[in-house]
Amino acid sequence: MSKAYNFDWQIEVSARLLKGDYFDRWDEENGTLEQNCLFRVDSYGFYIYWQSEGRDGQVIELSQVSDIRPGKAPTDTKIASDLMANSLVYGRGNIDERTVTICSGIDFVQISHTNITGVDQATAKAWIEGLRKITHNHKANNICPTTILRKHWMKLSFMLNVNKKIPVRSISKTFASGKTEKRIFEILKELGLPSGKNDEIDPTDFTFEKFCDLYHKICPRTDISALFDELSGGKDYITTKQFVDWLNETQRDPRLNEILFPHYDTNSALRIIDRYELRANYRDRGHLSCDGLTRYLMSDENAPVFLDRLEVYHDMDQPLCHYLINSSHNTYLQGRQFGGRSSVEMYRQVLLAGCRCIELDCWDGKNDTEPIITHGKAMCSDINFKEVVFAIRDTAFVTSDYPVILSFENHCSKPQQFKLAKYCEEILGDYLLTKPLESHPLEPGVPLPSPNGLKRKILIKNKRLKPDVEKRHLELFLKGLDTEANYDNDLDSAANVEGEDGPAAFVDTVKLREEDDEAHPELNVDSNDDVNRRTLLGQLGIKFKEKTNLSREEEEALMNRYQYKGATTNIHPLLSSRVNYAQPIKFSGFAKAEERNIHYHMSSFSENVALQHLRQNPIEFVNYNKRQMSRIYPKGGRVDSSNYMPQIFWNAGCQMVSLNFQTPDLPMQLNLGKFEYNGNCG
């Protein structure tokens, strides 16, 4: 852009982290212990790096760090014993208090845990607080190519061998893609550096300038050279006028507003030349060399994204339905939709990534003890609901202060629903929005509150009883008279639930796939029960096998028996009373929704049903989304947890376009990129 923009992407690293502290690093999975490692962070906040005597240097890229947690003592007795032995020399306090766990990975599933134990509790606390301040720096993911080159150079400078030198082999690995080692060795020799395969380079000799020279020789920017030759007409410079013409006619996006993004002129071109042209005689004449043009094109000023929009730039005081909301489908799953593994860690990772709507499929636990979360009846493993709520409490507002919506798919009995409500109240505390804001009562025609008005609040999305029914049942419950005899005869009927036209019904497979409008379908068999699985597969003529994952044959057989079972309409009054601005109802048509004009009502649609609405009633769907929220979820046939393209639903104003975060496919990458804007606030 013609106006200069200072891209301030760095977060200050504390002096203590720059100087470093000694830690013992240990890993129970492979039984390793590396003692007396000097851990440090570089001034840019790119890496955590360390080295111990007699070992090679190692790094963790901070852009891949998702969480910094207080650690726990190892269960491995040998590692624990060795840690305690070293503690006798310099440690103070128990291992738990002195341990930090660094969680990192390139996706949301494969997470590595680096455990480090320091000299005392104060050291661990200082590193937890210091690292938390510099993680989740989404701006650092958009640094310019020149800064990325510096980042690569720094990594090589930190990963020293036992002799505190840079192995030539490490450099050849950095540039291995498409280039032979021989060519890399030749260029190193041309630059006056050691060039043998087993040679090593003193870090003081391998300057950033030398690294850049190496890069440009190995990966020449022939595209920029060709552009320069075209602009200069064969000369070794381009004039200010030539530069201005090219900036306006080729480089500038003609769709930009001319007032907000004015055309380049001589002054703006000279500013660029003064900044990126290193030759003084060229600068004085207003000329730009090929090297100067390259530096400009590889700078922040030529970023492919609007860097100023990486901060919160939207008006966040509009009704909640005026915003797209980063949303997850079946958040607990790490893999496939059938026979997949559920994990509490997925909730942490998804929330830390900025997701603001997560899904909790709640079922009664075995022997009616504790409620669990699982892909019910799909033979997935289960996790404890209470543990998930603790994870939500710890990570909901680390990345963003804007509200989080807990999308309940509630299949629990009423006693277990009481536990759902109590755990949310007790664990989430003041985070949980238990009643509507005075400024936004739950009345027809009243808009939803804004994201700013709901900062650091957690909303429960669950079916709700009709107001008069809820009041009566809640009074009975509080008096201890909540027995079936004291409730209405139609207690199990959907007639008691707001927005429900009748009882939930079972429908056939074809109808389910075409018309389902609940959060997602379920299989009508008991979850995680090998006996039931053996029986079901036996009925289908398939031999039962003791394994976690389903074969394609099993999946196809189960899909053919796919039966829909909706969430319960027998709602506990306490849980019902905790629902406010995200009340799911059965969709009765756009005309009915407009007539009701109830902004806090919302409906969910499978991707197929939503597409059908977009084809048949596009204007009505958009108007619906202007007033109230909608949630889109993947069709039931996506057993591999693949994703659909979310853009078409965003274009229609659908707020919660939920995706499978465990699958890093193109739709998921688009989602991550979309929500990186506006401060990654979700």
Side-chain angles (χ1 to χ4, degrees), residues 39 48 50 60-62 64-69 100-104 111-116 127 131 135:
F39 272 75
I48 304 169
W50 70 92
I60 297 176
E61 191 170 334
L62 269 161
Q64 297 178 5
V65 172
S66 58
D67 200 10
I68 309 294
R69 304 173 190 167
V100 180
T101 298
I102 304 168
C103 307
S104 61
I111 304 298
S112 299
H113 297 86
T114 302
N115 303 294
I116 57 176
W127 273 76
L131 289 175
T135 53

Side-chain angles (χ1 to χ4, degrees), residues 414 472-473 476 480-492 570:
K414 290 186 69 178
R472 187 167 64 254
H473 291 177
L476 290 171
L481 302 174
D482 56 330
T483 63
E484 295 296 325
N486 289 317
Y487 283 151
D488 298 336
N489 292 330
D490 63 345
L491 183 61
D492 292 331
N570 188 10

Side-chain angles (χ1 to χ4, degrees), residues 463-467 469-470 473 496-498 569 571 573 576:
K463 293 182 187 296
R464 186 171 187 178
L465 297 171
K466 291 178 179 178
V469 176
E470 178 184 286
H473 291 177
N496 279 337
V497 176
E498 189 168 350
T569 54
I571 312 299
S576 173

